[in-house]
Amino acid sequence: MNKSLLYLVTLLFPLFLFSQSDSLSLNDTTQFSNAIRINLSKYKLESAHAYRTGDIERGKFLFDSLVQYRLAGTKFDNFTLKRINKSKVGKSKIELADIKKPIVFITYASWCVTTQGEIPAINKLAQKYGKDVQFVVLFWDRKHDIKKIAKKFSSRVMVCYAHESYKNDSRTVGILKHTLGLPTTFFLDENLKVSDIKRAGVQVSLQKGDYQKGYALNYNAFLEGMVPFLLNKELAKEMLVIK
């Protein structure tokens, strides 16, 4: 286990155990789409008021509370996504349940500017941990609008797209884009259970040209959400050694 991962494990492991035991007992059998539907109206009302009055911290608190107490531990819907490029076996679509390993699922749009160092950080993590975790990026755009930006991602990152005008995309758009908005990152375990949900990219202002700081902040932000998956992998290895 490398030093940066070990540090995050040491820092977050007690919190991870507490939050998982608390949220899973409440939401273990709940479908994500049902949970977001039940809780969305109140969240949107309170969140809109917070941002309208300039209370940014309150808005962030409401989002984090919604995730921690209502969405973490729910079962993510098995969405079928269209890939920008076909897989090695020639398939242009993928069901999330077919991935069979933890997923870092990020939603963007071609007109949504990523923060400095964000895509390189994703690419580096995908290359480093690709055997254990699958990165999936979903753009809320038509196919021809994302071809250029899709080339910026590593081949280890699965780039997909969905749009209101495409047949069969309305449910995916309604549940994900029109609820928590974008950019958003969903951390899903190998059984599609929601471990955490965060806003994609670092949520701090960066000076123009401050690439290294942006890269480091983005790298650590995504890695933090991956810790439970990587920790479980390391623990599984340890158990095999003990046996």
Side-chain angles (χ1 to χ4, degrees), residues 76-79 81 94-100 103 105 192:
F76 206 64
D77 299 64
N78 184 25
F79 296 107
L81 306 176
I94 181 71
E95 289 187 5
L96 292 179
D98 290 339
I99 294 178
K100 306 301 182 185
I103 302 170
F105 182 68
L192 295 186

Side-chain angles (χ1 to χ4, degrees), residues 84-85 139 146-154 157 159:
I84 188 69
N85 293 315
F139 282 93
I146 68 165
K147 284 187 174 181
K148 184 176 181 180
I149 192 170
K151 294 179 180 179
K152 296 182 179 180
F153 289 92
S154 162
V157 178
V159 181

Side-chain angles (χ1 to χ4, degrees), residues 160-178:
C160 304
Y161 60 96
H163 193 268
E164 288 90 338
S165 65
Y166 288 147
K167 184 179 179 181
N168 301 324
D169 280 354
S170 59
R171 181 172 178 273
T172 305
V173 170
I175 294 173
L176 299 180
K177 181 184 177 183
H178 293 162

Side-chain angles (χ1 to χ4, degrees), residues 6 46 202:
L6 182 60
E46 295 183 2
V202 295

Side-chain angles (χ1 to χ4, degrees), residues 105-170:
F105 182 68
I106 311 168
T107 63
Y108 287 120
S110 60
W111 43 264
C112 179
V113 180
T114 56
T115 58
Q116 292 188 69
E118 187 170 348
I119 293 178
I122 291 171
N123 289 339
K124 182 64 176 182
L125 287 165
Q127 291 169 0
K128 191 172 184 178
Y129 299 108
K131 290 184 178 180
D132 300 321
V133 179
Q134 176 65 57
F135 276 77
V136 177
V137 172
L138 174 63
F139 282 93
W140 302 117
D141 288 289
R142 295 180 175 88
K143 184 178 181 179
H144 62 79
D145 290 328
I146 68 165
K147 284 187 174 181
K148 184 176 181 180
I149 192 170
K151 294 179 180 179
K152 296 182 179 180
F153 289 92
S154 162
S155 59
R156 285 185 173 269
V157 178
M158 190 182 298
V159 181
C160 304
Y161 60 96
H163 193 268
E164 288 90 338
S165 65
Y166 288 147
K167 184 179 179 181
N168 301 324
D169 280 354
S170 59

